[in-house]
Amino acid sequence: MGHTCFFIGHRETSDSIFPALVQAVERHITEYGVTEFIVGHYGNFDRLAARAVLKAKERHPQVTLFLLLPYHPADRPIPAPEGFDGTFYPPGMERVPKRAAIVRANRYMADHCDFLIAYAWHPASNARELVDYAQARGTVQVDNLWDHSS
């Protein structure tokens, strides 16, 4: 059975991080046995992460890519983008207030994935808080690409 990897990063992330994302995705597939990637869709980091996985799927057809849905699909239907294998709505999210849905969905993923590829540096951001949370739990291997870029 393969492992799951989630992505978290700042929405204003520069395209210049793309080569590092491609390398990180490849490493997670070939060295860590990741076969499932889950990504959000609310900023440039998410777009870049999805592009990196789609590129990897050309070489590794066994890899799957799912779009994380923070809002119930009945309320905000979002079809899986081209190249994605589907969407994922975390269980138990139905009662979460809409203003907290993205943060709660991300927290669910941090609690249920094996690996987290991040690009987070703003100390007062939800992305950075999720990275800190995942590192403190110690059950998820976190690769914060920001740490390698400075």
Side-chain angles (χ1 to χ4, degrees):
M1 187 169 120
H3 296 289
T4 299
C5 180
F6 181 57
F7 295 92
I8 189 76
H10 301 303
R11 64 181 66 218
E12 72 276 9
T13 297
S14 165
D15 288 357
S16 64
I17 191 68
F18 186 67
L21 268 170
V22 169
Q23 288 178 339
V25 167
E26 184 69 19
R27 184 173 57 253
H28 280 74
I29 294 168
T30 59
E31 294 179 24
Y32 308 140
V34 171
T35 56
E36 180 179 74
F37 291 90
I38 301 176
V39 64
H41 63 117
Y42 286 105
N44 202 42
F45 178 80
D46 291 341
R47 277 190 290 282
L48 294 169
R51 241 177 70 210
V53 175
L54 290 170
K55 186 173 174 146
K57 283 174 60 111
E58 295 170 8
R59 292 181 310 283
H60 305 283
Q62 77 280 11
V63 167
T64 58
L65 175 60
F66 290 90
L67 179 68
L68 177 64
L69 301 179
Y71 305 106
H72 195 282
D75 295 339
R76 294 191 188 182
I78 296 177
E82 188 175 333
F84 281 63
D85 296 285
T87 60
F88 176 69
Y89 180 70
M93 290 283 297
E94 297 83 3
R95 294 186 276 300
V96 174
K98 297 237 182 302
R99 68 184 183 287
I102 293 173
V103 171
R104 188 72 64 84
N106 289 343
R107 175 72 60 104
Y108 177 91
M109 288 311 308
D111 287 339
H112 293 90
C113 70
D114 303 295
F115 297 90
L116 183 66
I117 296 176
Y119 192 67
W121 68 90
H122 295 309
S125 70
N126 288 326
R128 185 70 218 195
E129 287 175 15
L130 189 75
V131 167
D132 293 344
Y133 168 79
Q135 288 173 325
R137 285 192 69 235
T139 57
V140 178
Q141 184 174 323
V142 178
D143 184 4
N144 189 351
L145 300 178
W146 170 255
D147 297 338
H148 312 293
S149 69
S150 33

